[in-house]
Amino acid sequence: MQVKLGIKEIEKILPHRHPFLLVDCITELEPGVRAEGYKAVSFDESYFRGHFPDEPVMPGVLIIEALAQTGAVAILSQEGNAGRTAYFGAVDHARFRRKVVPGDRLRLVCEIEKVKGPVGKGKATAYVEDEKAVEAELTFILGK
């Protein structure tokens, strides 16, 4: 479902704040099922000063975190989950397919595949243009 959630709306769903909120907007949301959003990768991100400064590359773990935050928006938007926190349970089968560099617009997609009690799994993919940059299976645990 097409939606437009900006930073203020995302902050009402997620506990993350600058500089660790890694999703700029959500453009599609089906609560409990799927979310899609974007992260504009800017040269002035603090991690670029120390992560390959001569050839700035967005750290893979931060791309995974951005994907997890996108999935958390999907889960926490579901009725009954407002105000809860989605924690990492596991990251499986992560594959890094291309570098993400300043100037890239990272499209973040997370589809929730299974939920049983407070534990769920999702398939997450990050794209630059239409090219896969990262894919992984994410497990989350809902806390209070």
Side-chain angles (χ1 to χ4, degrees):
M1 167 190 304
Q2 295 283 97
V3 297
K4 177 64 174 179
L5 301 180
I7 294 293
K8 294 296 181 192
E9 293 85 7
I10 293 169
E11 286 181 339
K12 290 177 183 172
I13 299 168
L14 298 180
H16 304 78
R17 296 295 180 264
H18 178 77
F20 214 71
L21 180 57
L22 299 174
V23 180
D24 295 331
C25 68
I26 297 291
T27 55
E28 294 182 25
L29 176 61
E30 191 174 344
V33 177
R34 181 180 190 281
E36 182 170 325
Y38 287 90
K39 163 73 176 148
V41 182
S42 171
F43 185 74
D44 65 351
E45 307 275 357
S46 62
Y47 48 80
F48 285 133
R49 287 194 302 270
H51 194 255
F52 303 114
D54 292 333
E55 183 185 354
V57 175
M58 185 174 183
V61 295
L62 293 182
I63 300 169
I64 296 287
E65 175 64 27
L67 287 164
Q69 289 179 17
T70 303
V73 169
I75 288 299
L76 299 175
S77 296
Q78 188 173 18
E79 191 173 319
N81 288 339
R84 297 183 79 179
T85 301
Y87 297 102
F88 262 128
V91 177
D92 295 303
H93 308 290
R95 297 289 179 261
F96 300 90
R97 308 265 181 216
R98 76 178 304 278
K99 292 188 290 186
V100 175
V101 299
D104 284 344
R105 186 169 186 242
L106 199 57
R107 181 166 56 101
L108 306 161
V109 180
C110 188
E111 297 179 4
I112 308 305
E113 297 181 319
K114 182 169 100 174
V115 178
K116 186 172 182 178
V119 179
K121 285 190 171 255
K123 182 178 179 183
T125 310
Y127 300 87
V128 174
E129 303 289 332
D130 289 326
E131 187 179 353
K132 277 185 189 176
V134 176
E135 56 190 336
E137 293 175 11
L138 306 177
T139 300
F140 62 87
I141 301 168
L142 285 177
K144 298 281 181 194

